Amino acid sequence: MPRKDEEMSEEVEKELTNTKKKEGEVDKLNRMLAAVLEYISDDEVEEIDIDYILDQTEGLRAWWNLYREKNRKRMEEEIKESLGELSLEELEKIREQIKAKQ
């Protein structure tokens, strides 16, 4: 029986750790969102500068880059699925762009 108690105790500790991490992430996201909303709701701001927001909001640029990288696979799949719908000219343009990058 002691083993089961130890295993359950470890599981509970893991769940608590995960919960605390998630709460920390939520708090961080809330702070970033509040900073962005504060900026865009400022009546003195005439033109919204995304780079300014990314640079001036602590952790936002890193979060944005990570978000974009996580969605890379999804974007690749969307592109693959849409290739069949493109015209030959559109495919040739894409091919030229890819060759230019290489």
Side-chain angles (χ1 to χ4, degrees), residues 39-40 42-53:
Y39 172 79
I40 62 175
D42 186 346
D43 292 336
E44 294 180 19
V45 175
E46 293 180 18
E47 189 173 309
I48 295 173
D49 183 352
I50 298 298
D51 280 323
Y52 176 84
I53 294 172

Side-chain angles (χ1 to χ4, degrees), residues 7-55:
E7 289 174 10
M8 288 184 68
S9 177
E10 287 176 14
E11 283 185 41
V12 169
E13 282 184 39
K14 286 180 184 177
E15 284 184 36
L16 285 174
T17 303
N18 286 340
T19 301
K20 286 180 183 178
K21 284 182 183 178
K22 287 178 183 176
E23 287 174 358
E25 281 184 42
V26 168
D27 288 342
K28 185 178 176 181
L29 289 171
N30 280 334
R31 283 192 301 276
M32 288 190 285
L33 178 60
V36 170
L37 290 174
E38 201 171 295
Y39 172 79
I40 62 175
S41 65
D42 186 346
D43 292 336
E44 294 180 19
V45 175
E46 293 180 18
E47 189 173 309
I48 295 173
D49 183 352
I50 298 298
D51 280 323
Y52 176 84
I53 294 172
L54 290 172
D55 291 336

Side-chain angles (χ1 to χ4, degrees), residues 66-101:
L66 183 63
Y67 175 83
R68 290 175 62 207
E69 192 57 41
K70 284 182 178 179
N71 286 309
R72 180 183 179 100
K73 291 291 181 194
R74 183 184 53 80
M75 286 190 297
E76 288 174 357
E77 287 302 316
E78 286 177 8
I79 291 169
K80 284 179 189 176
E81 290 172 6
S82 66
L83 290 177
E85 300 170 9
L86 298 177
S87 69
L88 182 56
E89 291 172 350
E90 291 169 322
L91 289 171
E92 288 172 344
K93 286 179 186 178
I94 292 172
R95 184 177 179 198
E96 289 173 16
Q97 290 175 340
I98 292 170
K99 284 185 178 183
K101 293 267 183 190

